Amino acid sequence: MSRPLRVTADAAVALAAASAVLAVLLAARTPDALPVLFAVTAVVCLPVAPVGAAVVRSRPRNAVSWILLAAGVCLPLNMALQIAVAAAYDHGDGAIPAPALLATVNTFAALAGVPLAATFGLLLFPDGRLGGPSRRRQALAAVCGAELAAIACWALFSPTMIDYPDRDNPTGLPGAAGRAAEGGVLAILLLGPIALATSTALMRRARRTPDPAGRALRLVAGAGYAIAASQLICVAVGMSGGDTVVVSALENTAALVLGAAAWVGIVRYGLFDLRRVMHRALIYGLLTAGVVAVYLVLATALGALAGGRLPGALATAGAALTVLPLRDLLQRRASQLVYGLRDEPATVVGRLGDRLHAAAEPADVLPAAARTIAEVLRLPYAAIEVGGVAVAAHGVPGSGHRESLPLPLPLAEPGGDAAGGAAGMTAAGRGGEAVGTLVLETRDPAERFGAAERELLGQLARQVAVTVRALSLAAELRTSRERLVGAREEERRRLRHDLHDGLGASLTGIALGIDTACRALPAGAATGLLARLRAETENVIAEIRRIVYDLRPAVLDELGLTEAVRSHAARLGGVSIAAPAALPALPAAVEVAAYRIAVEALTNASRHAPGARVEVELASGPSGLELVVRDDGGGLPDGFRAGVGITSMRRRATELGGTCTVTRRDPTGTVVHAVLPLAEPA
């Protein structure tokens, strides 16, 4: 945006703030309640100007941005001029010069406020175009132009003023009283229906627009309906002989609804991409609102102390001295609303560390990191990629500027020890290696990160890199453990076969040979020695059988997993087994773990829920082998703590990378659910 346009936007916001302050000052000079109402209206409408300035800075070629800015400036200006003219004409305040000229300017300020926003503002929202070569919209645009032109001509050429028919209009034309009055009244009567038509046209456009932009357009169209309703109420009150002055305050305040709706549509639904512009607009708005609020408080207090004589200069100086020192605080709050905590790197790093520490499960750590970075930096999208694959993401990618930052591991200091996880990584010989990528997207395609922001992002990237590497090492350790457990059980199965079929058979043959020798020899010392050898051989065979069973339950090799569980359940009674006709070939570790978990669960059910009905389900699915043991007993007691048996079941499942949960069954009973992966660990 060029410097003249920036100066224009800033000057417009300053004029709106000055008009609001002037309205407050003028209202304090008059005893009537109506000027106070106008002053409150000016203060309430004040935020529309910063919103308009923000949109102008972002989209200077969009006509809607200038219409919104004009409404934001003219609304408080209209209120201030209306108070000034009323003070001059109704109370004879000679300190206000040229009230007739001020009244004419006031008419055009009012015209550029609500009528302009309710006609072309709604018709062109949000891109400044009519939305296609629609004859209906073109005709409506012509009607809006004719409406505004008619009101302007009435204000310029009517021999008398609009709000003061007994006062001469300095720019009026003699002899045009009748025609000007008729045209002006007709234009005022048509303003409400035209605003209703433009709101309906915007609503039709919203229905053709996909969300989220469609929701934003519907929001603004609803605000347009509110403006149309206020116009129609004002006309109805006027035609019934009532006073329309009070209703005009409602009419002007209704434009604030349009500004607020546009602001929500801009910020929440992204109709315009704003960052730094919003920052400055918020600062100006907060400062101005603070000045006005403090002035009102001081003016009231000092006026009471002075016996009704308001020392205005003293109140103004007090407001400035009170609010200006708060500029840094207001700027910091505005920065947090727009940019998050980018100016507070220590807070950002600390918050990221707290979120990572609070993650309950390893799978929640990286999603928590992505969510924290997106939230504290006010970014619409943040992702962590490892090996080109997004392992964690927060938000929805859009059309903003995207940057990819490497996740480097920290280097150890020469001759020193790295702290925490960095020491382990450097010891592994991986210091300085990029373990992944941090992908960030801004809201505005033109927005780029500054030097200070890049330094903060570098700190966050290093912290995330340590986390990624720690999780990677933990995953590698877990995978190695799973492989070791699987290899151990496979080796145990092989050893069992070798001991049972090899050594056991050989020892049995030796025992039979000793029996044959004893029968062939006469009784004597030799036969006694052979008998002792026979007894020792039997002891060795029994010990081998014990070792073989400890290595692996024999029933698994004899019957298989399903029949082994069925055999054990038959001894307990009251147990039903549901399993497929044939399970796939199971790894030895999975087979043993499933059998041990089933036996322990059935034992617990018979011990703690005697007589209860027990169901066992075995199934093979995409997640692995699933084992479910249910009973309809009393369920887990309050304050339940896992004992040795449940801890053993969980440990057996965890060793294989699976899960085992013990929960209450609805309405009564207990459920043991184990999932054991069948695939080889990657």
Side-chain angles (χ1 to χ4, degrees):
M1 183 179 182
S2 63
R3 180 176 177 80
L5 291 179
R6 289 197 301 269
V7 173
T8 301
D10 293 342
V13 175
L15 177 58
S19 299
V21 173
L22 178 62
V24 173
L25 293 174
L26 292 174
R29 293 166 54 92
T30 59
D32 297 339
L34 191 57
V36 176
L37 176 61
F38 288 153
V40 172
T41 303
V43 174
V44 171
C45 294
L46 187 59
V48 180
V51 173
V55 183
V56 165
R57 286 174 170 271
S58 177
R59 293 291 184 269
R61 296 184 179 180
N62 190 335
V64 176
S65 61
W66 292 102
I67 293 175
L68 193 59
L69 179 60
V73 174
C74 291
L75 285 172
L77 179 61
N78 176 26
M79 295 293 99
L81 293 178
Q82 194 160 346
I83 297 173
V85 173
Y89 282 145
D90 298 340
H91 301 286
D93 191 345
I96 298 176
L101 182 59
L102 291 180
T104 303
V105 175
N106 179 37
T107 301
F108 283 94
L111 183 64
V114 174
L116 183 62
T119 53
F120 284 104
L122 292 175
L123 194 61
L124 301 177
F125 191 84
D127 52 10
R129 295 189 293 269
L130 288 176
S134 171
R135 292 185 177 180
R136 180 184 301 175
R137 295 182 69 88
Q138 291 177 353
L140 186 56
V143 171
C144 291
E147 166 73 7
L148 298 181
I151 297 177
C153 290
W154 182 25
L156 278 176
F157 304 127
S158 175
T160 59
M161 297 183 190
I162 297 177
D163 294 331
Y164 296 92
D166 56 337
R167 300 284 181 172
D168 293 334
N169 185 1
T171 60
L173 296 179
R179 291 188 296 274
E182 293 174 359
V185 171
L186 181 61
I188 294 297
L189 292 176
L190 290 178
L191 187 57
I194 291 175
L196 186 64
T198 54
S199 302
T200 303
L202 182 59
M203 185 64 74
R204 290 198 193 99
R205 187 174 185 178
R207 291 169 181 167
R208 298 192 302 267
T209 304
D211 291 334
R215 292 196 299 269
L217 295 181
R218 288 192 292 272
L219 177 69
V220 177
Y225 284 130
I227 293 178
S230 68
Q231 295 286 346
L232 294 174
I233 292 174
C234 186
V235 171
V237 173
M239 294 183 66
S240 63
D243 188 3
T244 61
V245 178
V246 177
V247 183
S248 66
L250 172 64
E251 173 188 346
N252 290 322
T253 307
L256 177 63
V257 179
L258 178 64
W263 185 244
V264 173
I266 291 165
V267 175
R268 183 174 180 182
Y269 300 113
L271 292 179
F272 302 100
D273 295 316
L274 307 172
R275 300 297 288 176
R276 293 178 176 84
V277 174
M278 291 168 52
H279 180 216
R280 299 192 66 180
L282 286 172
I283 292 175
Y284 290 148
L286 291 174
L287 282 175
T288 304
V291 170
V292 173
V294 173
Y295 175 82
L296 290 175
V297 173
L298 291 178
T300 303
L302 293 175
L305 293 176
R309 298 186 302 275
L310 175 66
L314 183 59
T316 303
L321 293 176
T322 303
V323 175
L324 289 181
L326 300 179
R327 182 181 184 278
D328 293 338
L329 175 62
L330 296 176
Q331 185 170 3
R332 185 163 58 252
R333 296 306 180 196
S335 297
Q336 290 178 0
L337 289 174
V338 178
Y339 297 110
L341 300 175
R342 299 187 189 185
D343 296 334
E344 304 176 30
T347 304
V348 173
V349 175
R351 185 169 297 184
L352 177 59
D354 293 340
R355 293 282 183 87
L356 296 179
H357 180 72
E361 298 292 337
D364 300 332
V365 173
L366 293 182
R371 182 176 67 255
T372 302
I373 293 174
E375 290 176 353
V376 299
L377 300 181
R378 289 291 192 271
L379 298 174
Y381 178 74
I384 299 172
E385 295 182 354
V386 177
V389 178
V391 296
H394 180 77
V396 179
S399 58
H401 172 66
R402 178 174 293 192
E403 288 198 19
S404 299
L405 306 175
L407 299 177
L409 293 176
L411 291 168
E413 293 293 336
D417 293 331
M425 286 166 233
T426 307
R430 302 205 177 183
E433 173 191 353
V435 296
T437 305
L438 178 63
V439 180
L440 304 175
E441 185 174 295
T442 63
R443 297 184 183 276
D444 193 338
E447 181 183 359
R448 299 294 186 271
F449 294 112
E453 294 171 341
R454 289 187 177 277
E455 183 177 353
L456 172 60
L457 293 176
Q459 298 179 22
L460 297 178
R462 287 189 290 272
Q463 190 169 359
V464 173
V466 172
T467 304
V468 170
R469 185 57 185 155
L471 292 175
S472 176
L473 291 176
E476 292 176 6
L477 180 61
R478 185 170 57 252
T479 301
S480 299
R481 183 184 63 186
E482 295 168 7
R483 286 178 173 174
L484 286 174
V485 172
R488 181 192 67 190
E489 294 302 328
E490 292 293 343
E491 185 65 14
R492 285 182 173 184
R493 178 157 59 181
R494 187 188 65 79
L495 285 175
R496 181 188 181 281
H497 291 164
D498 291 346
L499 291 174
H500 183 273
D501 299 338
L503 183 58
S506 299
L507 290 174
T508 301
I510 292 173
L512 293 176
I514 292 174
D515 289 340
T516 302
C518 286
R519 288 193 296 270
L521 294 174
T527 56
L529 179 60
L530 289 175
R532 287 195 298 272
L533 289 175
R534 179 69 169 76
E536 291 295 334
T537 304
E538 286 292 338
N539 291 336
V540 173
I541 292 174
E543 183 66 17
I544 289 176
R545 287 175 179 170
R546 185 189 65 79
I547 293 174
V548 165
Y549 183 81
D550 289 342
L551 287 174
R552 178 178 168 84
V555 68
L556 289 176
D557 292 328
E558 297 169 2
L559 302 177
L561 176 60
T562 302
E563 294 302 322
V565 174
R566 198 185 303 276
S567 174
H568 183 80
R571 294 196 295 269
L572 300 177
V575 181
S576 61
I577 308 294
L583 290 172
L586 301 176
V590 173
E591 203 172 32
V592 172
Y595 178 73
R596 299 290 192 195
I597 292 173
V599 169
E600 183 65 31
L602 290 173
T603 302
N604 287 341
S606 64
R607 181 185 305 158
H608 300 291
R613 185 173 181 273
V614 183
E615 302 172 354
V616 179
E617 292 183 9
L618 276 170
S620 176
S623 57
L625 179 68
E626 291 193 40
L627 168 66
V628 182
V629 180
R630 304 185 185 90
D631 67 68
D632 56 1
L636 298 173
D638 295 334
F640 162 76
R641 295 181 64 181
V644 177
I646 293 179
T647 303
S648 175
M649 289 191 293
R650 291 173 177 169
R651 178 180 56 79
R652 291 183 182 277
T654 304
E655 285 180 342
L656 302 177
T659 59
C660 180
T661 59
V662 181
T663 57
R664 292 184 179 182
R665 184 183 183 184
D666 189 24
T668 60
T670 306
V671 178
V672 177
H673 184 199
V675 179
L676 306 175
L678 300 178
E680 179 77 11

